[in-house]
Amino acid sequence: MAPHARVRAPELIGKGGWLNTGDNDLTLADLRGRVVILDFWTFCCVNCLHVLDELRELEDKHRDTVVIIGVHSPKFVHEADHQAVVDAVERYEVHHPVLDDPELATWKQYAVRAWPTLVVIDPEGYIVAQHAGEGHAHALETLVAELEAEHEAKGTLRRGDTPYVAPEPVATDLRFPGKALLLPSGNFLVSDSTRHQLVELEADGETVVRRVGSGERGFGDDSFSEPQGLALLPDGRVVVADTVNHALRTYDPATGTVGTIAGTGRQWMQGSPTSGPALEVSLSSPWDVAWFADRVWIAMAGVHQLWTYDPAAGTVEVAAGTTNEGLVDGPAAEAWFAQPSGLAATADRLWVADSETSALRFVERDGGTFAVRTAVGTGLFDFGHRDGDAAQALLQHPLGVTALPDGSVAVSDTYNHALRRYDPATGEVTTLATDLREPSDAVLVEGDIVVVESARHRLTRLRLPEEAVRVESVAHRTQREATEVAPGTLVLDVVFQAPAGQKLDTRYGPSTRLLVSSTPPGLLAEGAGQGTDLRRELVLADGESEGVLHVSAMAASCDDDPANEYPACHVHQQDWGVPVRVTAGGVRRLPLVLAGLDG
């Protein structure tokens, strides 16, 4: 095994304290002798949720030698709330210790720049690898096996029980429900996401009629995995966004049968097909579904796109978005989204809750094609609770949107614990209700609106008010510190070292890709655009003092075994949004670690 840089791992500190440890604090000294993997995550981030799923097998296989520590590092103000972190750890079935670090203290100590980031610490307490983004499970498995062998031989490996202590289970009829649908019978169908089921409730929204699904993660005829969105098909069946199975399922209320109509059960990765027979094309964390323009539209949160499913042809295809994360309007094929998570259709528009940009957006016909517009929201790092003219109104990570009879829409403003309203006729944003707990969807029932209060594990019926609720205006920006960069030329260096036993895959051309842009666009005088070199010279424009660099990098590596005609290949990818401030004493090189260590 190649020698690793000997960098001592900083201590783990976080004002919020420890979860999943039985009220015990952990230190790196306590974990000496074990391989420690730090997972810097935040619960709004779908890529972080993908990594949680990638780590489950590794966690089970090496439970006596590997300790995974989740370091929760918030982006949004709501994510700094300790109870919200407690809820998220249960919601996403995190079965390892979690450090709640609301002030990003450990994030700064480890010089982390992206969610998610994984840092590997060897049994002697030294950092040996860092990986940003998704797709690193194979590399981690190989590295862990090498570290186990090396430190077993040295006598520095200490096997033992995991420090994870499971919290006490709580009995409720629903547990972190995601979305709801009003059935023709007048009953509600609810995606009971944490329990991997659908639950039918009577019209009172409380009495359980039946449960659909085994309650265990799975992809069989009686299983779901964190289902979310629901939509009624013209034939009476319900289409279900089976989020962690990366699939669309159907449920027939008349017969109780469950089927699969789209997805392979595997996550879509860069280079995979983006259209074709629905059961042969992989999807990525479908979060919501809606019937619009004779198709099922899919909020594909995992790749920042909208897809469609055509039931007549049995096919899927990309309808809007490029996979780049951000807020860009225009022709559907050129638009950028950021984790679209809620959909609602009217006769002429498909409304979209674009959660990571804290935006309300919509798709409408533009001649013979579709275009994407933004009603509320400005970008990845601006959020808050501000009513008034839509141009300056603020939301905070909305997950749901509901069409209202008067042509306006209600927004489940999740991290503001509020129900908001946008009126296209006036261009005004108002607040309909507050003191909701992480509302994630809402259903119109005659003159009432029934809200999915996800973190209160219930449906809540509200009378639509004639007048809006007055709230104090609050604006926020992400608390991540801006990187100070020098004016003029800035060298962007994406660090990628192929994992042990692998090499860059150049059989079909360049194995790396780099896409760079900025907000505002005028921040970069030179260097924006796409290329194959992971190192690029950027030129910052005169007169711009701050902004955000958007960097998307991909590298493909394959097993380095000449005897294997068909080596296994792996795609490593990450998007960074790096706030920068131009100052005379700033840095002239910006390193972003995709995999390896920055030498």
Side-chain angles (χ1 to χ4, degrees):
M1 182 169 122
H4 298 290
R6 303 293 284 176
V7 178
R8 177 67 74 177
E11 192 52 82
L12 307 178
I13 52 175
K15 189 175 181 180
W18 288 89
L19 305 176
N20 284 356
T21 62
D23 296 325
N24 295 314
D25 292 343
L26 297 180
T27 67
L28 288 178
D30 299 329
L31 304 174
R32 196 63 50 81
R34 314 287 283 280
V35 178
V36 177
I37 300 176
L38 303 181
D39 175 17
F40 290 87
W41 71 298
T42 188
F43 62 78
C44 73
C45 164
V46 72
N47 309 94
C48 299
L49 304 185
H50 290 167
V51 168
L52 284 176
D53 290 317
E54 289 178 1
L55 292 175
R56 293 186 199 279
E57 184 177 348
L58 179 74
E59 193 167 29
D60 289 339
K61 183 177 179 181
H62 299 274
R63 191 163 290 276
D64 64 335
T65 58
V66 173
V67 176
I68 296 175
I69 303 288
V71 182
H72 189 268
S73 312
K75 170 187 174 180
F76 290 97
V77 170
H78 171 60
E79 293 173 309
D81 175 9
H82 181 71
Q83 184 57 49
V85 180
V86 173
D87 289 344
V89 167
E90 180 189 352
R91 182 195 299 266
Y92 298 115
E93 297 185 307
V94 180
H95 292 166
H96 50 249
V98 173
L99 176 64
D100 181 10
D101 183 18
E103 297 177 346
L104 302 181
T106 295
W107 167 287
K108 295 170 187 173
Q109 288 272 66
Y110 281 81
V112 174
R113 294 185 183 274
W115 297 279
T117 291
L118 299 168
V119 176
V120 182
I121 302 171
D122 73 10
E124 294 179 285
Y126 292 93
I127 297 174
V128 294
Q130 181 172 325
H131 301 275
E134 306 175 43
H136 302 293
H138 178 80
L140 288 173
E141 174 63 43
T142 302
L143 178 57
V144 164
E146 291 182 352
L147 290 171
E148 286 176 340
E150 175 187 344
H151 289 274
E152 188 93 79
K154 291 173 64 175
T156 49
L157 184 70
R158 177 173 60 86
R159 297 179 183 270
D161 293 334
T162 173
Y164 167 70
V165 178
E168 290 292 325
V170 180
T172 52
D173 286 332
L174 300 173
R175 204 70 192 161
F176 298 105
K179 306 288 185 180
L181 174 69
L182 184 65
L183 296 171
S185 66
N187 288 351
F188 295 97
L189 189 66
V190 182
S191 56
D192 198 19
S193 303
T194 296
R195 294 212 177 106
H196 316 296
Q197 291 180 318
L198 309 181
V199 178
E200 184 176 340
L201 301 175
E202 290 185 2
D204 62 7
E206 297 179 0
T207 306
V208 176
V209 176
R210 64 178 56 87
R211 296 182 180 275
V212 183
S214 66
E216 301 292 333
R217 290 180 185 272
F219 195 36
D221 291 341
D222 193 33
S223 300
F224 299 94
S225 188
E226 297 183 29
Q228 287 283 342
L230 307 165
L232 197 63
L233 294 174
D235 63 8
R237 293 180 301 164
V238 176
V239 61
V240 182
D242 196 3
T243 304
V244 178
N245 277 328
H246 309 293
L248 295 189
R249 317 292 296 283
T250 56
Y251 166 62
D252 188 339
T255 64
T257 57
V258 174
T260 302
I261 57 172
T264 62
R266 299 181 299 276
Q267 182 186 341
W268 186 94
M269 301 296 286
Q270 290 288 350
S272 301
T274 56
S275 64
L279 292 172
E280 298 175 14
V281 178
S282 294
L283 310 180
S284 182
S285 295
W287 210 275
D288 203 5
V289 282
W291 183 258
F292 177 68
D294 298 321
R295 301 284 191 277
V296 175
W297 286 66
I298 310 163
M300 203 74 78
V303 285
H304 317 299
Q305 290 180 312
L306 303 180
W307 288 38
T308 59
Y309 164 72
D310 181 350
T315 57
V316 293
E317 64 180 352
V318 175
T322 64
T323 76
N324 295 316
E325 184 178 15
L327 194 155
V328 176
D329 289 342
E334 300 171 13
W336 291 22
F337 293 92
Q339 218 168 293
S341 301
L343 300 175
T346 63
D348 57 353
R349 286 182 175 177
L350 179 71
W351 293 94
V352 183
D354 200 28
S355 62
E356 279 295 288
T357 53
S358 297
L360 174 64
R361 309 179 70 188
F362 59 91
V363 177
E364 63 181 359
R365 292 193 183 276
D366 185 11
T369 59
F370 290 100
V372 176
R373 318 286 187 208
T374 297
V376 183
T378 57
L380 285 165
F381 300 107
D382 295 300
F383 51 91
H385 192 150
R386 180 192 287 155
D387 288 334
D389 183 74
Q392 54 84 51
L394 295 172
L395 309 170
Q396 186 178 179
H397 197 82
L399 291 179
V401 59
T402 307
L404 299 179
D406 64 357
S408 66
V409 289
V411 179
S412 295
D413 194 6
T414 310
Y415 287 3
N416 279 326
H417 308 299
L419 189 68
R420 313 285 293 284
R421 176 178 178 265
Y422 168 69
D423 186 350
T426 64
E428 291 288 309
V429 175
T430 54
T431 297
L432 298 177
T434 59
D435 194 31
L436 301 168
R437 187 69 183 172
E438 292 191 14
S440 55
D441 196 18
V443 179
L444 195 65
V445 184
E446 297 176 346
D448 296 340
I449 190 163
V450 176
V451 180
V452 180
E453 278 199 273
S454 188
R456 283 199 177 111
H457 321 292
R458 70 187 189 192
L459 304 187
T460 298
R461 185 181 293 263
L462 303 173
R463 175 68 62 179
L464 279 172
E466 294 182 3
E467 294 186 4
V469 177
R470 293 186 180 275
V471 296
E472 183 179 354
S473 176
V474 180
H476 299 292
R477 283 185 64 84
T478 180
Q479 62 174 311
R480 289 173 58 192
E481 292 183 356
T483 299
E484 295 190 346
V485 297
T489 300
L490 175 68
V491 175
L492 173 65
D493 199 355
V494 176
V495 178
F496 178 77
Q497 297 158 5
Q502 297 180 35
K503 64 179 180 180
L504 288 175
D505 178 15
T506 57
R507 292 173 297 165
Y508 307 107
S511 60
T512 56
R513 186 191 72 174
L514 180 65
L515 176 66
V516 180
S517 63
S518 66
T519 303
L523 178 66
L524 287 178
E526 297 178 24
Q530 185 167 311
T532 58
D533 193 344
L534 294 182
R535 183 182 177 90
R536 186 181 301 181
E537 287 193 357
L538 310 178
V539 177
L540 302 171
D542 293 336
E544 295 288 352
S545 60
E546 62 180 355
V548 178
L549 293 177
H550 303 283
V551 180
S552 178
M554 185 274 290
S557 61
C558 288
D559 293 346
D560 189 7
D561 182 1
N564 186 352
E565 185 178 357
Y566 302 103
C569 296
H570 312 275
V571 176
H572 316 264
Q573 60 187 48
Q574 173 62 14
D575 294 338
W576 290 267
V578 184
V580 296
R581 182 179 302 111
V582 182
T583 62
V587 299
R588 295 192 174 277
R589 174 179 177 265
L590 178 62
L592 300 176
V593 177
L594 179 59
L597 291 171
D598 180 22

